[in-house]
Amino acid sequence: MAGARALARARNISDLRELAQRRVPRFSFEYVDGGAEDELTMVANRTAFANAHILPRQLAGISTVDTGVEVLGKRSQLPIAIAPTGYNGMLARDGDLALAGAALANGFPFTQSTMSSSSIEEIAGVMKGGRHWFQLYMLKDRGIAGRLVERALAAGCEALVLTSDAIVLGNREGDKHNFAGPGKLTWRAKMNVASRLSWVMDVVVPKGPPGFGNLAEFLPKGQGSAIDGARFISAQMDTALSWQSVEWLRSIWPRKLMVKGIMRTDDALAAADCGVDAVVVSNHGGRQLDGAATSLQVLPDIREALDGRCDILLDSGIRRGGDVFKAVALGADTVLCGRAMLYGLAAGGAAGVARSVEILRTELERTMVLAGCNSLSDVDRSALCPRSPLLRS
């Protein structure tokens, strides 16, 4: 793993990305780093943030800044939550536990994926006193989906996050060239793995490659490997997912409920009609439908349509504290960070995640001072230049 000095010298998330690329095998890095097909939407996500220009206020008398926000009725120290990401154990041993620990230490939520390497119960053990959210894929077997909901409830999860935009897996072509067949690396990819000795010693040698902690009870005996879990979940994805599915979840889940993957105002309104507590405006980081609109583009219209009926979160493309500021200005109550945290995890484990958080916090605080905003409650659309390409009607 990258040492303390290398992590401290990482000036930004891009530097952590470079450290991650040097440490983990190509197949592992490209799984995190790549997008669908021509990666048009993934690139556009970053362009959208570049095209939202801040309009700084001067002589604002800023002595300190308050980065706290309220989301789902509770205070977070930063307008950030860690996004649900699967199989983090292939980046660093106990990767999900490292992410959860960083969220707890910094006072914001951790969203655990159905496909996490650690189980719901293991994460709950780390997140005592913290904000543990659980992301659910709706499965064809409602008994299994219901069992996962039951376990999340028993583990004390604050919120359930239904992912709506992954009913089939996106065509991630960059990923595929590392594999000769399902779960079978090419010889070139195997040689690349052999060159990453520190990763092998951390991830593979101690206990063997990680599996999927939440799926173990549903897989046949002797079929608990990562490839077995991936095949299982792929076969279980429910392409018939509908608003009736959301209503069913609402009927069995008494706590906060979110739907992730909302990109249209009519879908946002339908979610509110189903009684959800928040929507996540998301194109899945450009990993699902290539050519889709960017989350930042559609955020203002969704904010206006919902008119306070539920909270709004945003993901896809966050790499800087300034991006977080822009998302809040356009109507997000908080943002989900995926790749920005995973680059830190891949570079340096728990210490790398801590460095990711430190970078984003410092950048956000600096942006707020230079923009003339004491607190995030002061940040609205007036903080952005109306002539920015993103805001031109």
Side-chain angles (χ1 to χ4, degrees), residues 6 28 39 46 62 81 83 89 99 101-102 131 212 275 277 306 321 350 377 392:
S28 182
E39 300 185 340
R46 294 297 303 132
I62 306 294
L99 292 163
R131 305 187 69 181
F212 295 107
D277 300 285
L306 285 174
S377 61
R392 290 175 185 165

Side-chain angles (χ1 to χ4, degrees), residues 137-138 143 150 179 214 265 284 298 332 352 357:
Y137 288 118
M138 185 59 71
E150 180 183 79
F179 295 91
N214 294 318
T265 56
H284 215 101
V298 303
V357 176

